[in-house]
Amino acid sequence: MNQRFHALRVADVIIETEDARSLVFDIPGELAEEFHYRPGQFLTLRIPGAEQGPVTRCYSLSSSPHTAEPLTVTVKRTPAGRASDWLLGSVRVGSVVHVQPPAGRFTPASLDGDFLFLAAGSGITPVMSILKSALAAGSGRVALIYANRDERSVIFGKRLDGLAADHPDRFTVRHWLESRRGLPAAAGLRALAAPFRDRDAYVCGPEPFVAGAVDALAALEVPSERTHLERFRPPGPAPGPDPRPGADPPARAPRSVNGLQLVLP
């Protein structure tokens, strides 16, 4: 993975929910090829720090390379999250953020198949990139099961409604609100996913949600080769300085564990 950071200007900051923002980056023409990406990939951002020094965090791209959208990541505030606090509290239009080129393997080989997405909270970000790409450039059907605390915490709610209205024969969205149904459990997810068991499944969210979704898909006999996972795990203690270009990525960077892509929010 290219370890070089580039100073990118923030072209827009979009308020998604009370605790989530989308950061839109302006990509200079000379960097367009380097920042070309596939649906579902992420960017690594360097967060400045006066006393502890800088840290890096990874945020999934919510934009689609198959539409006219500019390069966009979506950030949700996490409890005591140094990086998300800075990005949501300090970054404005015109701010400069140091960013590495796109990376990640949570991306389909083809957009022409039928898809089932299961997401929770900010896990919708890479899913949004893939499903918009599938609807814009693919030919298959798309279903989304999306879990959140309540209606106010649904990221991209209006845009999902718009996509469902624009593609009534191709896109189905089912919301799970904890305020009404409690925490998403495997049995409930299994019932929602059952009509789409013959599709490639993409799961993204916090560890407990991913575990429940995996159990649900296993109970529906969805083959493991058609189940693709991305887990969001909280970062550990603040690390030291960033590695020199070309060095091995630090423990906090995205890494593969048993074939699963882990992204630290």
Side-chain angles (χ1 to χ4, degrees), residues 3 241-248:
Q3 294 290 317
D242 291 312
R244 64 187 184 278
D248 291 336

Side-chain angles (χ1 to χ4, degrees), residues 8 23 34-35 103 124 130 132 165 181 201 203-204 236:
L8 300 183
L23 307 181
E34 195 166 355
F35 276 86
I124 190 64
I130 301 172
K132 286 188 295 187
R181 307 183 63 175
V203 184
C204 187

Side-chain angles (χ1 to χ4, degrees), residues 63-137:
S63 53
S64 165
H66 297 279
T67 66
E69 297 173 301
L71 192 79
T72 304
V73 297
T74 301
V75 180
K76 183 176 181 179
R77 193 184 302 275
T78 57
R82 171 181 165 188
S84 61
D85 281 349
W86 183 79
L87 290 168
L88 271 62
S90 300
V91 173
R92 302 287 187 269
V93 173
S95 296
V96 172
V97 180
H98 289 83
V99 183
Q100 283 183 346
R105 300 192 311 274
F106 187 68
T107 181
S110 171
L111 295 173
D112 287 325
D114 294 332
F115 296 97
L116 167 62
F117 298 103
L118 298 97
S122 59
I124 190 64
T125 50
V127 164
M128 192 68 170
S129 178
I130 301 172
L131 73 83
K132 286 188 295 187
S133 299
L135 292 173

Side-chain angles (χ1 to χ4, degrees), residues 23-73:
L23 307 181
V24 181
F25 292 108
D26 181 21
I27 306 299
E30 64 271 19
L31 294 179
E33 183 175 351
E34 195 166 355
F35 276 86
H36 177 75
Y37 65 100
R38 300 190 304 276
Q41 291 194 301
F42 59 84
L43 298 179
T44 300
L45 279 56
R46 185 164 63 199
I47 312 302
E51 296 182 0
Q52 296 175 310
V55 295
T56 57
R57 295 289 184 264
C58 304
Y59 294 96
S60 295
L61 287 152
S62 55
S63 53
S64 165
H66 297 279
T67 66
E69 297 173 301
L71 192 79
T72 304
V73 297

Side-chain angles (χ1 to χ4, degrees), residues 180-224:
R180 300 178 183 177
R181 307 183 63 175
L183 292 171
L189 294 175
R190 182 174 70 246
L192 290 176
F196 315 108
R197 69 177 75 194
D198 59 336
R199 306 184 183 188
D200 277 6
Y202 286 76
V203 184
C204 187
E207 186 73 25
F209 175 81
V210 172
V214 168
D215 288 345
L217 294 171
L220 293 172
E221 299 183 344
V222 177
S224 58

Side-chain angles (χ1 to χ4, degrees), residues 160-182:
L160 290 170
D161 290 343
L163 288 170
D166 291 342
H167 305 276
D169 298 328
R170 295 184 59 207
F171 181 45
T172 302
V173 58
R174 297 285 183 266
H175 291 281
W176 181 299
L177 299 179
E178 296 174 16
S179 58
R180 300 178 183 177
R181 307 183 63 175

